[in-house]
Structure formats: structure tokens, C-alpha cells
Amino acid sequence: MEKKLQDSELKVMNVIWREGSPTAKHIAEVLGAETGWNVNTTYTLIKRCIEKGAVERVEPNFVCRALVSKEDVQRAEAETLIDKLFDGSADKLFAALLGSERLSPEEIARLRSMIDGAE
């Protein structure tokens, strides 16, 4: 992928990841219902995703196929967040999550298990 995806482009990508390989028309219908965007807005965002190398247009019917996985984008976004807000320190991010009181006991147990598995 050539450039970072913006929040609005991520909405398009989320539909593609969730739906498989939807048509541009279907993406526009879904995002129209979810966000109130008109068809032109959605098509412009799809075009940007194509230009950034995140989506491939397949004919017939303007089918949109993801060229990047959701996991790869999540990983890149997490790295950007860590660099931008936590001085490149993943443990500072982890400390912020633990201090936020947003994690349930089950989520904490899953995190502990992931850490144990990484050691």
C-alpha cells in the first residue's frame, strides 16, 4: 500500500473486509445506510483506496477486492499510534490501556495469555 488510509477510507475498507468482494454499488448502499454518504462520496473514497493500492477494481460490475489485509492495516495503525503518542514505546501504550479502566477482567486475562505466549 502506497499511503496511509484516512478514517473515511477505512470505512470503505471495513465494508470490503466484512463483505468479501462487494461491488462499488453495494458499498455505496451500505455506507449510505451506515453514514448517510451519497453515492458520489463513496465512489470518490473507493477511487482513493484504489489509488493508494489498498483496493483493486475488477470488472465486470466494478467489484472491489482488498489488496491489503485488515490485520496488516491494524498493525501499521498501531505502530503509528505507538510512535506518535507513546514515544515508540509499546509498554507505555499497554500501561495507558491498563490505567484506562476500560478493560474487563476477561480482556486482561486474554492479554496476559498473549504475553505469556510471546515469551
Side-chain angles (χ1 to χ4, degrees):
M1 191 171 65
E2 297 172 19
K3 295 181 181 176
K4 181 179 178 343
L5 295 170
Q6 301 301 313
D7 290 348
S8 55
E9 296 160 349
L10 286 171
K11 288 187 185 303
V12 170
M13 293 304 298
N14 278 321
V15 175
I16 296 170
W17 289 322
R18 185 174 64 229
E19 304 280 336
S21 294
T23 63
K25 179 181 178 189
H26 180 72
I27 296 168
E29 290 169 354
V30 169
L31 290 175
E34 288 180 4
T35 67
W37 292 346
N38 67 39
V39 172
N40 291 335
T41 299
T42 303
Y43 274 67
T44 297
L45 292 168
I46 293 169
K47 182 180 175 189
R48 284 190 206 160
C49 290
I50 292 169
E51 290 169 355
K52 290 181 177 184
V55 172
E56 174 183 46
R57 177 180 178 160
V58 180
E59 292 299 341
N61 300 325
F62 198 159
V63 172
C64 297
R65 188 172 71 82
L67 296 176
V68 294
S69 71
K70 186 172 187 174
E71 293 77 17
D72 286 345
V73 172
Q74 287 173 330
R75 210 171 356 268
E77 289 290 325
E79 288 176 18
T80 299
L81 177 69
I82 290 167
D83 289 341
K84 188 186 300 184
L85 297 178
F86 298 97
D87 302 320
S89 173
D91 59 330
K92 288 182 182 178
L93 168 64
F94 194 71
L97 287 172
L98 290 174
S100 73
E101 299 178 10
R102 290 186 61 189
L103 296 174
S104 69
E106 294 82 14
E107 290 169 323
I108 292 170
R110 281 196 304 272
L111 287 170
R112 185 174 287 120
S113 176
M114 283 188 263
I115 291 169
D116 291 343
E119 293 181 326

